[in-house]
């Protein structure tokens, strides 16, 4: 495809897109062909592979830099994806990218393995370029569009977008580690970066530890309340936004790598590589960008000492080290290259023979097919990074090992080590330990290699890059296919929480225990759910609570709660605890507001057949579920506008086909907190389907379990599809609780 002509000074976008990805680089490279024509060429990577189907389905756009300084291009389409280039000048490339991004943030976020540099002019360039990316995204986005910002170069974009386009749904994913506060606090612009990230609705990290580091930094710098993965961020109008910050470990196109590995020509190339190396008994392979975080020096040192000590010999073992060029305009990287090449030269000079080279050192990149051939040729993969967000090379090697052979030596300081537990895990700073691991890998019996690799391959196949992007976007938007049943991850969480000392199981009713019906008085829990909560309520160390927006009287009638169940009605205004019912004595002003509210809602409801008003102890609800969609929207808009104008002090909340007003503020989060305190629970399970249940999800703590029923944006970390699946979940919980409990009651 030919490159568009250089664009004019003012960047513009002709179309509005529902899905936008913003990254430092575009998924295409600009090149000049042998015929002298310039064209765009795809630069496929894991991120592009994961997002291509999503982008095409949503008619999305990708915003980023084209890779050429001082050159501007019009938006264009390439291979089914709309491309919106953002220009960078040569000075911005030096200050924003090579400077602040890669000589300030990169070393800081990688635990200051190399010293960061702090320059005010770099920071100013970083702000300026982030604003340019944010403005491009704001112009390209349709109303309510989803914008997914990628990586550390663009950490200010979420807040900038939030300020200019508050209608957008904004996600951010950090592909590199996020450091502990003691390290992060060195950054002179630490508050501005955190504030920039908090503009997102969901902030993704590679590891739970990274998400925890970020949350602690938020508490230290801003004092915002945090509960588990949820951060309460105050808005300028006094409202509180719930921001999710948690781990979404990235992965690879596992099936794609295995398909390449099974090609006969790629396998033939792997045999050629072994022959070219003298057919050693063991080939050890390292594949890295030439970066000081990758532990290449530690790997070479360990290998050299093994040769000196004659624990390995060059006749039997060869090390192949691919070190692709990286940031060679940055002085630190030029020095690293010189140091690595000096080490390689000395080791080869000391140990190579005429027929056997100690180290085959390759300082250039390779196409994917050649890399797969190298993976197939290798017996041992060495991933010894000193600090790495994930390290996808480890997963690529595993995906290519379709014969269940090969050994992975993996640094415990990579995100991949959280998942690939059957690798030989090492501390690369411990040279003796690293040496022992390399020898163990070289001498591991075939049966043990196969056992470990089967487990590794299962993990990589089940958690591929498509699942990563789908999981993130489902958390961000609430959209996506939800399979029936209880997912494996939720099943594992149920097994974990079932072992807690004192468990509170809190459940919404309508849409959770009971399918939604046209007439609220006809709602009933499914038989399976009813049986399961009776089993749970009968356990000495387990309490069951039903938490509903219904008035308590209505809830008792439709739920027919089991003996000993705790009840919360009217979104927490009413609580039925062990000590008896709660009487609500409304003040004169509240009674007057309730009377005024009644007149307004009855007038609004009379304007459409099928709308009705439900009276509650401290409020009223306008039900529009039976009304045509367009009419329902207009009714709710009218009701909200009149109430806000005439009784502005009321609490307003939206649900599924209902708009509720309360003269006494409360919500399901406050109710859940009171239920937890009353029961003395050490952990809580909360299951709900409505927007109003989000307050309860926000109140959950790190050891709790939140489950969203159905689609829609949610703070819950798990989902099921329907009340039938809730019944399945509760049965599993009751089974697990039965299996783990024992002895006398542990309730106070």
């Amino acid at each position: 495809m030919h490159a568009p002509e250089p664009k004019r000074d003012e960047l513009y976008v002709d179309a509005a897109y529902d899905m936008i990805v913003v990254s430092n680089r575009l998924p295409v490279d600009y090149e000049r062909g042998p015929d002298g024509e310039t064209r765009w060429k795809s630069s496929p990577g894991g991120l592009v592979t994961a997002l291509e189907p999503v982008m095409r389905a949503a008619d999305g756009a990708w915003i980023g830099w084209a890779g050429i300084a001082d050159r501007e291009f019009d938006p264009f389409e390439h291979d089914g994806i709309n491309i919106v280039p953002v220009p960078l000048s040569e000075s911005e490339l030096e200050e924003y990218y090579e400077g602040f991004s890669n000589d300030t943030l990169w070393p800081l976020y990688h635990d200051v393995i190399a010293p960061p540099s702090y320059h005010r002019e770099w920071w100013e360039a970083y702000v300026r370029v982030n604003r340019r990316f944010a403005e491009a995204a704001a112009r390209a986005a349709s109303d309510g569009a989803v914008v997914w910002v990628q990586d550390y170069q663009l950490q200010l974009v979420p807040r900038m977008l939030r300020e200019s386009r508050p209608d957008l749904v904004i996600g951010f994913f950090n592909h590199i580690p996020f450091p502990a506060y003691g390290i992060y606090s060195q950054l002179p612009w630490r508050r501005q970066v955190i504030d920039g990230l908090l503009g997102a609705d969901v902030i993704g990290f590679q590891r739970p530890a990274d998400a925890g580091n970020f949350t602690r930094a938020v508490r230290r710098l801003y004092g915002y309340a945090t509960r588990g993965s949820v951060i309460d961020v105050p808005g300028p109008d006094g409202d509180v936004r719930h921001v999710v910050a948690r781990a979404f470990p990235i992965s690879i196109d596992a099936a794609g790598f295995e398909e390449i590995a099974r090609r006969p020509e790629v396998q033939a190339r792997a045999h050629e590589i072994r022959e070219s190396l003298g057919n050693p008994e063991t080939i050890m392979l390292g594949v890295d960008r030439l970066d000081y975080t990758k532990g290449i020096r530690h790997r070479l040192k360990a290998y050299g000492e093994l040769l000196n000590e004659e624990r390995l010999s060059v006749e039997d073992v060869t090390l192949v080290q691919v070190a692709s060029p990286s940031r060679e305009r940055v002085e630190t990287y030029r020095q690293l290259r010189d140091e690595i090449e000096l080490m390689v030269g000395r080791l080869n000079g000391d140990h190579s023979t005429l027929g056997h080279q100690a180290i085959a050192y390759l300082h250039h990149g390779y196409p994917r097919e050649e890399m797969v051939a190298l993976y197939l040729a290798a017996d041992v993969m060495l991933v010894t990074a000193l600090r790495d967000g994930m390290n996808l090379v480890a997963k690529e090697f595993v995906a290519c090992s379709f014969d269940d052979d090969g050994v992975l030596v993996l640094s415990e300081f990579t995100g991949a080590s959280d998942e690939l537990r059957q690798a030989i895990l090492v501390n690369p700073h411990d040279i003796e330990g690293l040496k022992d691991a390399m020898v163990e890998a070289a001498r591991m019996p075939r049966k043990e290699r196969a056992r470990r690799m089967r487990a590794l391959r299962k993990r990589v196949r089940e958690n591929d890059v498509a699942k990563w992007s789908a999981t993130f976007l489902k958390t961000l938007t609430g959209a996506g296919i939800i399979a029936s049943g209880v997912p494996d991850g939720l099943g594992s969480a149920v097994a974990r929480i079932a072992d807690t000392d004192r468990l509170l199981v809190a459940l919404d009713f309508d849409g959770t225990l009971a399918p939604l019906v046209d007439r609220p008085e006809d709602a009933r829990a499914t038989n399976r759910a009813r049986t399961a909560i009776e089993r749970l309520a009968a356990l000495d160390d387990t309490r069951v609570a039903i938490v509903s927006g219904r008035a308590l009287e209505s809830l008792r009638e439709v739920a027919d709660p089991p003996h000993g169940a705790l009840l919360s009605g009217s979104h927490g205004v009413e609580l039925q605890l062990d000590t008896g019912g709660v009487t609500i004595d409304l003040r004169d002003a509240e009674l007057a507001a309730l009377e005024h509210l009644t007149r307004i809602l009855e007038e609004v409801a009379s304007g459409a057949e099928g709308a009705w008003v439900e009276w509650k102890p401290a409020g009223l609800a306008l039900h529009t579920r039976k009304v045509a969609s367009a009419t329902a929207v207009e009714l709710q808009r009218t009701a909200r506008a009149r109430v806000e104008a005439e009784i502005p002090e009321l609490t307003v909340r939206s649900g599924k086909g209902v708009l509720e007003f309360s003269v006494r503020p409360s919500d399901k989060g406050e109710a859940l907190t009171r239920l937890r305190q009353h029961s003395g629970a050490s952990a809580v399970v909360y299951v709900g389907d409505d927007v109003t249940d989000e307050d309860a999800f926000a109140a959950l703590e790190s050891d709790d379990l939140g489950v969203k029923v159905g689609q829609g944006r949610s703070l819950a970390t798990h989902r099921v599809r329907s009340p039938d699946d809730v019944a399945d979940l509760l049965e599993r919980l009751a089974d697990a609780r039965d299996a783990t409990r024992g002895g006398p009651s542990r309730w106070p």
Side-chain angles (χ1 to χ4, degrees):
M1 179 178 177
H2 296 298
E5 291 299 315
K7 60 183 290 304
R8 53 187 177 271
D9 292 339
E10 186 67 29
L11 183 69
Y12 74 97
V13 179
D14 289 327
Y17 303 100
D18 294 332
M19 172 73 188
I20 293 176
V21 172
V22 186
S23 63
N24 177 65
R25 282 295 302 271
L26 289 168
V28 292
D29 292 324
Y30 182 74
E31 64 175 21
R32 186 178 297 276
D35 56 359
E37 294 284 346
T38 55
R39 56 177 60 86
W40 295 101
K41 176 184 177 183
S42 295
S43 51
L47 186 63
V48 181
T49 302
L51 296 182
E52 270 182 344
V54 180
M55 301 285 280
R56 291 194 180 100
D59 189 29
W62 199 303
I63 293 175
W65 176 51
I68 302 176
D70 294 318
R71 187 82 182 269
E72 299 185 9
F73 302 97
D74 283 325
F76 62 97
E77 182 180 316
H78 177 81
D79 197 21
I81 296 179
N82 299 292
I83 302 294
V84 181
V86 174
L88 289 180
S89 68
E90 183 67 31
S91 64
E92 287 169 339
L93 183 63
E94 293 175 3
E95 295 177 342
Y96 144 77
Y97 182 70
E98 295 170 353
F100 195 80
S101 295
N102 291 319
D103 206 10
T104 300
L105 293 176
W106 179 270
L108 181 74
Y109 281 28
H110 287 83
D111 293 351
V112 294
I113 293 170
S117 300
Y118 303 114
H119 298 292
R120 283 170 290 183
E121 61 271 22
W122 290 2
W123 164 252
E124 291 164 0
Y126 186 79
V127 174
R128 186 168 63 252
V129 171
N130 270 244
R131 188 165 301 282
R132 187 175 307 146
F133 275 81
E135 289 171 350
R139 285 193 294 269
S142 63
D143 290 343
V146 175
V147 181
W148 192 0
V149 185
Q150 305 290 331
D151 224 358
Y152 64 104
Q153 301 97 341
L154 302 173
Q155 292 176 105
L156 307 183
V157 169
R159 172 61 65 190
M160 294 172 173
L161 270 178
R162 175 75 53 197
E163 291 172 349
S164 64
R165 291 288 306 275
D167 60 299
L168 299 177
V169 178
I170 304 168
F172 181 91
F173 188 78
N174 195 57
H175 292 259
I176 68 173
F178 194 90
Y181 184 74
I183 292 175
Y184 179 76
S185 62
Q186 299 177 26
L187 184 66
W189 307 278
R190 58 196 183 187
R191 287 180 62 89
Q192 293 96 314
V193 169
I194 293 291
D195 184 60
L197 291 170
L198 288 175
D201 296 294
V202 176
I203 308 169
F205 298 90
Q206 299 281 26
R207 309 180 77 171
D210 297 325
N213 287 341
F214 174 78
T215 301
R216 282 186 286 274
V218 170
R219 288 199 300 267
R220 292 287 297 271
L221 292 172
Y222 283 95
Y224 294 161
T226 63
R227 293 180 296 276
S229 62
V230 180
I231 302 168
D232 292 344
V233 180
D237 54 1
D239 292 339
V240 173
R241 281 194 311 116
H242 298 307
V243 175
V244 174
R246 67 180 181 88
F248 299 85
I250 198 171
S251 193
I252 61 168
D253 177 16
F257 273 94
E258 181 170 339
E259 185 276 325
I260 296 173
R262 289 183 179 274
R263 294 178 191 170
E265 67 273 18
V266 175
Q267 295 178 35
R269 174 58 185 150
H271 288 298
E272 289 179 6
I273 291 171
R274 291 194 71 95
E275 289 178 4
S276 69
L277 294 170
N279 281 315
E281 183 178 319
T282 302
I283 294 177
M284 294 185 172
L285 175 64
V287 175
D288 310 270
R289 282 191 309 102
L290 189 57
D291 191 287
Y292 48 78
T293 65
K294 300 300 183 181
I296 301 174
R297 289 174 291 196
H298 297 66
R299 186 182 312 158
L300 295 178
K301 181 175 177 61
Y303 180 64
E305 290 187 10
L306 288 172
L307 295 178
N308 285 331
E309 297 163 5
E310 299 184 353
R311 295 174 66 186
L312 297 178
S313 68
V314 292
E315 287 78 14
D316 297 328
V317 179
T318 295
L319 172 61
V320 177
Q321 177 60 59
V322 177
S324 57
S326 173
R327 302 166 187 161
E328 297 202 317
R329 293 173 22 150
V330 179
E331 179 60 27
T332 307
Y333 288 81
R334 289 198 294 265
Q335 294 174 2
L336 177 65
R337 176 180 179 179
D338 292 343
E339 184 178 348
I340 295 297
E341 292 179 350
L342 183 60
M343 290 182 73
V344 169
R346 285 176 176 171
L347 285 170
N348 275 332
D350 290 343
H351 298 286
S352 294
T353 66
L354 289 176
H356 298 278
Q357 192 175 15
I359 302 175
Y361 177 72
L362 308 165
H363 181 59
H364 44 83
Y366 289 98
R368 178 170 292 184
E369 287 75 10
E370 183 73 359
M371 290 308 309
V372 171
L374 277 167
Y375 293 145
L376 290 175
D379 302 288
V380 177
M381 186 79 218
L382 300 176
V383 178
T384 59
L386 307 180
R387 189 79 164 90
D388 215 335
M390 178 52 63
N391 194 289
L392 296 180
V393 164
K395 295 186 176 183
E396 291 172 3
F397 174 72
V398 168
C400 293
S401 301
F402 62 87
D403 59 354
D404 291 336
D405 204 359
V407 182
L408 174 63
V409 176
L410 180 62
S411 166
E412 63 191 55
F413 301 116
T414 63
S417 69
D418 287 352
E419 303 174 84
L420 306 182
R421 305 303 295 177
Q422 295 300 317
I424 299 177
L425 299 179
V426 297
N427 173 1
H429 299 279
D430 175 11
I431 300 299
E432 288 299 325
L434 180 55
K435 288 159 57 180
D436 291 343
M438 293 167 71
V439 172
E440 178 188 355
R443 297 174 181 170
M444 185 177 291
R446 174 71 176 86
K447 185 176 181 181
E448 177 66 8
R449 298 199 304 267
R451 182 190 70 80
R452 288 173 177 257
M453 187 55 73
R454 279 195 297 270
L456 292 172
R457 285 177 53 74
K458 182 175 186 293
R459 181 73 181 188
V460 170
R461 284 197 304 266
E462 291 178 351
N463 296 277
D464 64 2
V465 71
K467 183 176 180 180
W468 167 77
S469 62
T471 301
F472 186 94
L473 289 171
K474 188 181 292 184
T475 302
L476 180 63
T477 67
I481 297 172
I482 306 172
S484 60
V486 177
D488 290 343
L490 177 54
S492 299
V494 166
R496 171 187 58 79
I497 204 166
D499 198 35
T500 195
D501 285 346
R502 299 182 299 277
L503 180 64
L504 171 64
V505 182
L507 308 162
D508 175 48
F509 185 75
D510 295 283
T512 298
L513 293 176
L516 294 173
V517 293
D518 287 339
R519 286 164 34 98
E521 60 270 25
D522 293 338
R524 294 294 184 272
T526 64
N527 290 333
R528 289 175 59 206
R530 169 79 189 176
T531 301
I533 62 175
E534 286 177 345
R535 288 178 57 194
L536 288 165
L539 299 176
D540 289 340
D541 48 9
T542 305
R543 298 302 302 269
V544 171
I546 301 178
V547 181
S548 176
R550 287 176 178 262
L552 204 55
E553 182 179 355
S554 170
L555 181 61
R556 289 195 197 99
E557 181 179 342
V558 297
D560 187 20
H563 176 72
L566 307 172
L567 300 179
S568 169
S570 303
H571 300 286
V573 173
E574 302 176 284
L575 286 176
Q576 173 74 55
L577 305 177
D578 296 316
T579 53
V582 175
T583 301
I584 301 176
D585 296 317
L586 297 182
R587 296 183 291 272
D588 289 343
E590 291 172 329
L591 289 169
L594 195 57
E595 183 179 347
H596 191 172
L597 176 65
T598 302
R599 290 198 302 271
I600 294 174
L601 294 190
E602 286 182 336
E603 288 176 15
V604 172
S606 66
E609 184 177 353
W612 81 93
V613 176
E614 177 189 1
W615 281 263
K616 297 188 176 185
L620 282 86
L622 173 66
H623 289 270
T624 59
R625 190 177 300 153
K626 295 182 180 180
V627 181
S629 177
T631 305
V633 170
E634 181 60 24
L635 280 180
Q636 291 199 15
R637 186 196 65 77
T638 301
R640 184 186 290 269
R642 283 196 58 184
V643 171
E644 288 179 352
E646 299 177 35
I647 327 172
E649 68 273 12
L650 297 193
T651 299
V652 186
R653 59 173 64 87
S654 298
K656 292 181 178 178
V658 62
L659 187 64
E660 301 190 42
F661 301 89
S662 177
V663 298
R664 180 165 293 178
S666 185
D667 59 44
K668 290 182 178 179
E670 293 181 15
L672 185 62
T673 299
R674 292 184 63 185
L675 291 167
R676 181 200 295 273
Q677 293 169 346
H678 173 77
S679 64
S682 53
V684 174
V685 174
Y686 188 88
V687 188
D689 76 309
D690 203 282
V691 175
T692 60
D693 293 303
E694 293 304 308
D695 293 315
F697 291 135
L700 295 177
E701 298 177 357
S702 57
D703 291 334
D704 297 335
L705 174 61
V707 183
K708 164 78 171 179
V709 184
Q711 293 189 341
R713 286 182 59 197
S714 180
L715 299 175
T717 53
H718 298 276
R719 289 177 187 267
V720 293
R721 187 168 69 178
S722 69
D724 288 334
D725 300 314
V726 173
D728 189 1
L729 168 68
L730 295 174
E731 288 171 347
R732 291 194 185 201
L733 180 59
D735 289 342
R737 197 70 174 145
D738 274 334
T740 58
R741 65 186 288 269
S745 170
R746 288 170 282 186
W747 290 93

